[in-house]
């Protein structure tokens, strides 16, 4: 890429000659650029290589060489800004555009949003960090969970209307509450062409037994081709629903996976990965998909540098975030919350006195009042009084001062737009009472939970359904690692009783109330989701899901149709008038 200095030198020449082609001598260039004859030749040659101008030196002393401008100053700045955007360097792009956000918006619009490229429909979306771990068996954040749903398939899935639907299994039946049979689709292939077999499904499902959510699996077998039987140790009327969880996606056998499988996973879903690095994630429609082939040919998630990522708004029509937060009127709240998970097993909060203190000192309103106002607007957060919006759970009055003066250890995900600000706010509140704070900044998960007193966690549930709390509690909440044994046994029993009852509603309120009243967690904030239909322009069916994204495989681009008018020729009008007269 050309250097910023070369761009400045071009602008100097362009302004001196007012963008007009001229006959010049090399000495004129050296005077304008304050450089030697040798450097002037080098600079002119580089500008010619960039396609900014043409330089035709004339042989002989006193003869004029020709300087021809091929690009304007604005063209060069915008072209350079685009190239910086390709590298995710929005700060540099803004700098070359003289900090003009209006110009930046024009450049961003040309790169982000809906693009027609070599006959294909491409949608480019901004994001603030790389999506580097896409293995559904590992702890995943909200955005990775969404991408996983585009790459992989499970036996079942939850659709846009949040109803259970068949996926790799086209149908199923309950032989008994402890014995389920699933019928697989034939000729399904992974993105690498490998055929999905019943044995691959059996191995994937039996591996789920290691998870608390599926610990009641007794055996998985294939009694006949394209049939899979799951035998359970206890009654479960909800098994097909639980198999829609991300951890139950069907993956390649271990021996078929590449070393970089987490970065370039291979599934059977509607999209396959063709690029995934620090600059962008590129998903391409999988032509061999067993369902309806996606209408969008390619999805590109562009990584914008952290410092300026807050400028980018998830809109295909207005990519720069508005200066006020009135856009929240058109988007929904996430179905869960960000919360503080207290270590009731072997942290300070194992003591009821400390748990009481944390619960009241770090209550949502205390934190909300201490957050910087600009961050509240930028991040779009609201106080949470329960796990889900509209819920209200509270604890009895607690202590106003800490039981003793100790060091409090707080774990948080460092690569998150809100958490660094939030933990500083928590630190400030605790220091008011003479406590010291140390932090554990982790990437995927905390290695040793016994070192943690407070863990800042997002729920990351994938649907608005109340029963989504079952998978969250037993599969991804990490509550078992930080809770007292009797408490977790009670919460597990709530889920298991629901599984054992036919047509039962999930007791979500009971579970949420107990988690708060037993001081296991402190609800902090609900966040506004990022996308609404109004932000998607000509993109159709872009319904925001519980993870703040939209299902790539279900959207399509509505073309702009020219307005047709009825134009009647003079000859026709004349003949028509004659017929009327006659």
């Amino acid at each position: 890429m050309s250097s910023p200095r070369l761009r400045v030198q071009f602008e100097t020449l362009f302004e001196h000659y007012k963008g007009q082609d001229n006959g010049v001598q090399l000495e004129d260039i050296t005077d304008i650029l304050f450089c030697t004859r040798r450097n002037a030749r080098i600079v002119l040659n580089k500008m010619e290589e960039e396609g900014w101008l043409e330089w035709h030196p004339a042989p002989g002393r006193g003869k004029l060489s020709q300087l021809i401008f091929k690009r304007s100053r604005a063209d060069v700045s915008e072209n350079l800004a685009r190239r910086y955007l390709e590298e995710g360097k929005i700060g540099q792009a803004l700098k070359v555009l003289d900090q003009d956000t209006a110009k930046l918006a024009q450049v961003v619009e040309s790169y982000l949003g809906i693009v027609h490229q070599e006959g294909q429909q491409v949608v480019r979306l901004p994001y603030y960090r790389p999506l580097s771990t896409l293995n559904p068996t590992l702890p995943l954040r909200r955005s990775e969970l969404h991408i996983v749903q585009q790459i992989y398939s499970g036996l079942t899935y939850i659709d846009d209307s949040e109803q259970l639907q068949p996926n790799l299994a086209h149908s199923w039946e309950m032989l008994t509450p402890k014995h389920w049979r699933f019928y697989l689709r034939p000729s399904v292939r992974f993105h690498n062409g490998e055929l999905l077999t019943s044995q691959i499904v059996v191995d994937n499902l039996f591996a789920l037994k290691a998870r608390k959510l599926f610990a009641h699996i007794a055996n998985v077998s294939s009694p006949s081709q394209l049939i899979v039987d799951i035998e359970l140790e206890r009654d479960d009327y909800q098994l097909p629903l639980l198999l829609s969880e991300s951890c139950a996606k069907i993956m390649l056998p271990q021996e078929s996976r590449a070393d970089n499988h987490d970065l370039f996973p291979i599934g059977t879903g509607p999209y396959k990965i063709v690029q995934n690095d620090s600059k962008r994630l590129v998903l391409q429609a999988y032509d061999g998909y067993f369902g309806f082939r996606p209408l969008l040919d390619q999805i590109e998630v562009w990584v914008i540098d952290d410092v300026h990522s807050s400028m980018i708004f998830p809109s295909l029509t207005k990519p720069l975030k508005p200066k006020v937060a009135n856009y929240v009127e058109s988007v929904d709240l996430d179905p869960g919350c960000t919360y503080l998970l207290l270590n009731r097993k072997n942290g300070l909060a194992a003591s009821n006195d400390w748990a009481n203190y944390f619960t009241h000192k770090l209550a949502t309103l205390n934190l909300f009042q201490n957050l910087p106002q600009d961050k509240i607007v930028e991040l779009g957060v609201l106080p949470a009084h329960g796990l889900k919006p509209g819920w209200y759970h509270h604890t009895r009055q607690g202590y106003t001062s800490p039981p003793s003066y100790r060091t409090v250890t707080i774990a948080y995900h460092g690569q998150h737009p809100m958490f660094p600000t939030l933990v500083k706010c928590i630190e400030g509140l605790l220091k008011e009472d003479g406590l010291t704070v140390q932090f554990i900044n982790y990437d995927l998960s905390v290695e040793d939970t016994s070192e943690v007193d407070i863990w800042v966690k997002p729920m990351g549930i994938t649907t608005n359904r109340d029963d989504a709390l079952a998978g969250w509690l037993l599969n991804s909440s990490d509550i078992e690692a930080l809770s007292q044994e009797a408490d977790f046994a009670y919460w597990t029993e709530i889920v298991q009783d629901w599984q054992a009852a036919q047509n039962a509603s999930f007791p979500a309120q009971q579970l949420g109330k107990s988690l708060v009243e037993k001081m296991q967690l402190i609800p902090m904030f609900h966040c506004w989701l990022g996308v609404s239909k109004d932000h998607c322009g000509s993109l159709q069916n872009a319904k925001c899901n519980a993870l703040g994204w939209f299902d790539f495989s279900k959207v399509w681009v509505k073309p702009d149709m020219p307005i047709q008018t009825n134009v009647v020729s003079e000859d026709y009008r004349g003949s028509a008038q004659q017929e009327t007269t006659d």
Side-chain angles (χ1 to χ4, degrees):
M1 178 180 288
S2 57
S3 67
R5 177 174 173 77
L6 187 66
R7 178 183 66 88
V8 172
Q9 289 170 322
F10 174 80
E11 291 176 350
T12 302
L13 285 177
F14 190 88
E15 290 178 2
H16 181 85
Y17 291 109
K18 296 183 172 55
Q20 301 298 313
D21 301 341
N22 269 277
V24 300
Q25 292 186 337
L26 191 59
E27 287 76 10
D28 300 331
I29 304 298
T30 61
D31 291 341
I32 297 168
L33 299 181
F34 300 103
C35 63
T36 64
R37 289 172 60 89
R38 179 177 177 275
N39 284 340
R41 290 192 184 96
I42 293 174
V43 167
L44 291 170
N45 287 334
K46 286 183 177 179
M47 291 180 185
E48 193 165 25
E49 289 174 4
E50 292 288 339
W52 299 349
L53 53 74
E54 290 182 7
W55 167 249
H56 301 287
R61 185 176 296 275
K63 292 188 177 180
L64 295 179
S65 301
Q66 292 298 310
L67 182 65
I68 302 172
F69 291 98
K70 306 295 289 184
R71 294 285 186 270
S72 68
R73 174 183 175 179
D75 288 341
V76 170
S77 297
E78 289 178 11
N79 184 57
L80 192 55
R82 289 190 184 95
R83 290 163 70 176
Y84 277 125
L85 277 179
E86 288 180 359
E87 297 184 358
K89 298 177 180 177
I90 193 171
Q92 294 281 40
L94 189 59
K95 185 176 180 180
V96 300
L97 294 172
D98 299 324
Q99 306 295 323
D100 189 330
T101 55
K103 288 182 181 178
L104 179 64
Q106 294 175 355
V107 174
V108 169
E109 284 175 5
S110 69
Y111 263 84
L112 302 181
I114 301 167
V115 180
H116 295 276
Q117 183 175 290
E118 297 179 357
Q120 292 194 327
Q121 292 184 343
V122 179
V123 169
R124 292 171 174 166
L125 302 166
Y127 203 56
Y128 70 94
R129 61 176 175 82
L131 298 160
S132 56
T133 303
L134 298 171
N135 185 335
T137 66
L138 298 176
L140 295 179
R141 298 174 65 184
R142 290 161 57 101
S143 295
E144 280 83 352
L145 282 170
H146 172 74
I147 300 300
V148 157
Q149 292 176 349
Q150 307 297 305
I151 300 168
Y152 292 100
S153 310
L155 294 188
T156 64
Y157 80 106
I158 303 295
D159 66 13
D160 286 347
S161 300
E162 304 210 325
Q163 299 299 311
L164 183 67
Q165 299 292 347
N167 204 6
L168 289 175
H170 61 81
S171 58
W172 55 85
E173 59 182 327
M174 184 181 71
L175 304 181
T176 74
K178 292 182 181 178
H179 189 177
W180 287 83
R181 176 164 290 170
F182 293 84
Y183 300 91
L184 305 181
R185 297 181 189 276
S187 302
V188 174
R189 293 189 179 274
F190 287 92
H191 299 154
N192 65 350
E194 185 171 333
L195 183 68
L196 175 69
T197 64
S198 300
Q199 189 59 47
I200 291 176
V201 176
V202 167
D203 293 342
N204 271 263
L205 295 178
F206 193 74
L208 292 174
K209 184 176 174 60
R211 295 177 173 270
K212 191 75 175 181
L213 186 62
F214 297 101
H216 59 309
I217 291 179
N219 188 44
V220 185
S221 61
S222 179
S224 182
Q225 187 178 12
L226 299 177
I227 296 178
V228 171
D229 280 8
I230 302 178
E231 299 172 67
L232 307 171
E233 295 173 352
R234 54 179 170 80
D235 290 356
D236 187 354
Y237 288 91
Q238 310 295 340
L239 183 64
L241 175 65
L242 298 181
L243 288 173
S244 68
E245 291 284 327
S246 294
C247 65
K249 301 297 184 187
I250 303 302
M251 305 171 66
L252 274 174
Q254 190 69 45
E255 61 272 15
S256 299
R257 300 176 196 172
D259 293 337
N260 61 350
H261 184 264
D262 292 354
L263 195 64
F264 286 89
I266 293 174
T268 58
Y271 281 96
K272 62 181 180 180
I273 293 182
V274 295
Q275 179 181 345
N276 190 14
D277 53 36
S278 60
K279 303 279 192 305
R280 63 184 63 88
L281 166 71
V282 179
L283 303 175
Q284 190 176 84
Y286 177 41
D287 291 334
Y289 180 53
F290 60 84
F292 290 114
R293 189 232 190 236
L295 298 175
L296 291 179
D297 299 293
Q298 193 159 292
I299 304 290
E300 300 178 4
V301 182
W302 287 44
V303 180
I304 303 298
D305 57 326
D306 290 340
V307 178
H308 294 85
S309 61
S310 61
M311 293 179 61
I312 297 296
F313 187 58
S315 166
L316 302 186
T317 55
K318 297 177 181 178
L320 292 192
K321 182 176 285 190
K323 297 184 183 301
V324 294
N326 57 2
Y327 63 87
V328 299
E329 297 175 359
S330 59
V331 296
D332 298 322
L333 283 172
D334 70 336
C337 70
T338 301
Y339 61 95
L340 300 180
L341 179 59
L342 303 185
N343 189 347
R344 299 280 277 145
K345 177 177 284 187
N346 43 31
L348 290 176
S351 156
N352 285 337
D353 289 347
W354 273 102
N356 262 309
Y357 168 72
F358 288 142
T359 297
H360 291 87
K361 184 66 177 182
L362 303 178
T364 178
L365 291 179
N366 288 348
L367 288 171
F368 191 76
Q369 290 168 359
N370 283 272
L371 278 177
Q373 289 300 306
D374 59 332
K375 285 293 182 181
I376 293 175
V377 173
E378 177 184 318
L379 299 171
V381 295
L382 289 177
H385 301 287
L387 265 66
K388 293 174 72 69
W391 288 10
Y392 183 80
H393 303 305
H394 62 89
T395 56
R396 61 187 180 277
Q397 185 60 42
Y399 294 90
T400 57
S401 59
S404 60
Y405 296 102
R406 301 282 296 278
T407 296
V408 181
T409 302
I410 301 175
Y412 71 99
H413 201 303
Q415 206 174 26
H416 190 284
M418 179 171 67
F419 288 178
T421 300
L422 181 59
V423 295
K424 287 297 182 183
C425 178
I426 295 173
E427 180 183 29
L429 287 173
L430 296 179
K431 281 186 173 180
E432 290 177 355
D433 292 337
L435 299 174
T436 57
V437 177
Q438 67 179 18
F439 298 110
I440 297 176
N441 184 332
Y442 66 92
D443 184 19
L444 279 179
S445 188
V446 176
E447 293 183 5
D448 186 359
T449 57
S450 66
E451 298 178 352
V452 177
D453 294 311
I454 301 173
W455 193 346
V456 183
K457 297 270 292 179
M459 287 185 71
I461 54 179
T462 57
T463 74
N464 290 282
R465 297 170 57 115
D466 282 351
D467 50 37
L469 294 184
W472 164 76
L473 173 71
L474 298 181
N475 189 48
S476 60
S477 68
D478 292 300
I479 288 177
E480 182 179 15
L482 273 70
S483 63
Q484 296 177 4
E485 187 173 338
D487 288 342
F488 193 77
Y490 170 68
W491 298 322
T492 302
E493 185 181 356
I494 290 176
V495 176
Q496 292 179 355
D497 287 347
W498 163 71
Q499 290 175 276
Q502 191 171 14
N503 301 320
S505 298
F506 185 75
Q509 285 269 11
Q510 177 188 349
L511 176 62
K513 180 180 179 182
S514 180
L515 286 166
V516 174
E517 289 184 349
K518 289 183 178 292
M519 298 179 291
Q520 182 62 64
L521 55 80
I522 307 170
M524 284 193 301
F525 305 116
H526 301 301
C527 298
W528 294 105
L529 297 175
V531 178
S532 80
K533 290 183 179 179
D534 294 337
H535 302 148
C536 293
S538 58
L539 202 62
Q540 305 297 302
N541 203 31
K543 181 180 180 181
C544 184
N545 60 25
L547 296 169
W549 294 75
F550 53 85
D551 188 346
F552 300 152
S553 66
K554 299 294 192 298
V555 297
W556 58 285
V557 178
K558 186 176 183 178
D560 294 328
M561 298 295 291
I563 299 175
Q564 295 183 351
T565 58
N566 293 324
V567 179
V568 183
S569 68
E570 291 294 331
D571 292 341
Y572 178 81
R573 281 203 298 268
S575 60
Q577 183 177 6
Q578 182 64 40
E579 289 176 7
T580 304
T581 303
D582 293 342

